[in-house]
């Protein structure tokens, strides 16, 4: 299986250099020759939306995704409507920034009833679609690792994300494949093939052994057990040739100087992805 | 949905009172009126197999399962044969103790190749079956939570466990449903129904929010988000009416006096299971 030869598809998901402001992340990416960036909404808000757009465009960067919309389930209809409003703001921001996709982290259940929470996710996406379409923004359902089912996402497998996405037009709703969340799944390659041209994003990191922390324990590519190259090739065989985001939540990496993180990330990207 | 009315099916999985020796766990169960026990092999080894058998029989306890066999994958054929030998010892111990089932925690991959590790699991079970059958011991494949895929089990969903178990006679190989490991699964109820009379065990605990620790973060029933009663009823509808093991890995609970743990466990069992 061939290796990646250059950085044309490499994207810095901003969480990987969480201490950097959006401007710093943009400038760091330019210094490192990384052509794509995936900003987070909190960082965009800090910098201001118009300024964020200007930084990114002036630097000549492309936006692989905006992180994130979602969090649809809530206990009351009023709260769910408020969540939907926030998603509409996320769509507007994604459109303003020219993001390829708005990533949806679908949210946990408001109570023990996970089945109803999953219905709320479906309803939320359905209601968001017309607004997203109107703004030219594609939605990408990102299944999260099952260990986050209670706190971040009731959508936990690629199969489940595919089933949900297939209820809608593929122009409107696709899926995002993040190796950290899906690598363990016995149905992974079947579901990647099934996702086909609904794949809207591909995120890499690694699964460390032992896991240092439930949330902040993701590893740099090559430091763990995920078959990165195999999964990347499967995603390509399914039809995805878009940007590859490096998205790492890890305190040790956050504590490193950003430029060193980007240098290491580039090296590992060529070697392991 | 009806509540459990008595403790006829309640079993103490010994890990829940990890500080107790086997003898202490037996005596504690008798004091608490808990009729079933699930010993761990390390505790049986400490007490001696013959003595363990005697403690349990003299106390009039029944053995819901022995924890555990498994850990089939290894890098070399020699190592895999050694694992198989250890599994044969586990079968002999299960037979000696009169355990209803030998629980199989199937083990992690020896390297990054999770697909091959899964083949080794299948081969290991296949090779173990004649010996287990000869000793009258049933094998129960316990799928573990996907967050343990790299360190404890490449078998991570009930669907995968069902597919594996169905390759063999149901008299030989079944599955064990532990709510902590499977509660998040969108296919849970479908797969419980599919497992049907292959269900060889049912384990309860809870999923705490936030999760205090990857390994030692299981909660007492009622302290988390798992729909215990709903899952218990589904397991019964599938045909399982055997013992219900309380299996909790939790440092705070381990630090409590054992008798208090058993009292709390009984209360929560009636209230939440």
């Amino acid at each position: 299986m061939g290796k990646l030869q250059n950085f044309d598809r490499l994207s810095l998901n901003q969480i990987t250099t969480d201490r950097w402001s959006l401007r710093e992340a943009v400038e760091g990416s330019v210094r490192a020759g990384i052509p794509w960036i995936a900003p987070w909404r909190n960082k965009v808000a800090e910098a201001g939306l118009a300024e964020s757009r200007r930084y990114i465009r002036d630097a000549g960067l492309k936006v692989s995704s905006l992180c994130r919309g979602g969090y649809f389930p809530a206990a009351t209809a009023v709260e769910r409507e408020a969540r939907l409003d926030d998603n509409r703001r996320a769509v507007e921001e994604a459109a303003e920034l020219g993001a390829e996709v708005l990533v949806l982290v679908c949210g946990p259940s408001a109570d023990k009833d996970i089945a109803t929470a999953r219905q709320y996710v479906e309803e939320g996406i359905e209601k968001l679609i017309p607004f997203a379409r109107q703004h030219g923004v594609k939605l990408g359902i990102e299944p999260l690792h099952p260990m986050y089912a209670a706190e971040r996402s009731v959508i936990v497998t690629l199969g489940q994300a595919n089933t949900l996405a297939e209820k809608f037009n593929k122009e409107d709703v696709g899926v995002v494949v993040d190796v950290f969340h899906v690598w363990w799944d016995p149905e992974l390659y079947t579901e990647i093939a099934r996702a086909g041209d609904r794949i809207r994003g591909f995120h890499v990191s690694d699964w460390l052994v032992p896991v240092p922390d439930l949330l902040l324990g993701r590893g740099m590519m090559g430091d763990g057990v995920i078959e990165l190259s195999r999964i990347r090739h499967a995603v390509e065989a399914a039809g995805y040739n878009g940007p590859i985001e490096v998205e790492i939540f890890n305190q040790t990496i956050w504590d490193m100087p950003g430029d060193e993180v980007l240098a290491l990330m580039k090296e590992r990207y060529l070697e392991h992805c």
Side-chain angles (χ1 to χ4, degrees), chain A residues 111-156:
Chain A
D111 54 29
K112 291 191 182 189
D113 183 357
I114 196 168
T116 299
R118 286 165 171 160
Q119 288 172 13
Y120 290 150
V121 170
E122 182 175 336
E123 288 172 18
I125 292 173
E126 187 170 14
K127 287 180 182 170
L128 187 59
I129 286 174
F131 192 83
R133 192 187 296 154
Q134 186 185 326
H135 286 75
V137 170
K138 294 178 191 304
L139 305 175
I141 301 168
E142 181 171 354
L144 259 53
H145 194 285
M147 69 186 179
Y148 301 130
E151 295 176 76
R152 287 178 177 76
S153 175
V154 292
I155 307 298
V156 287

Side-chain angles (χ1 to χ4, degrees), chain A residues 198-211:
Chain A
R198 281 191 192 262
I199 299 175
R200 293 270 175 273
F202 181 52
H203 298 181
V204 294
S205 62
D206 216 330
W207 183 278
L208 301 177
V209 177
V211 181

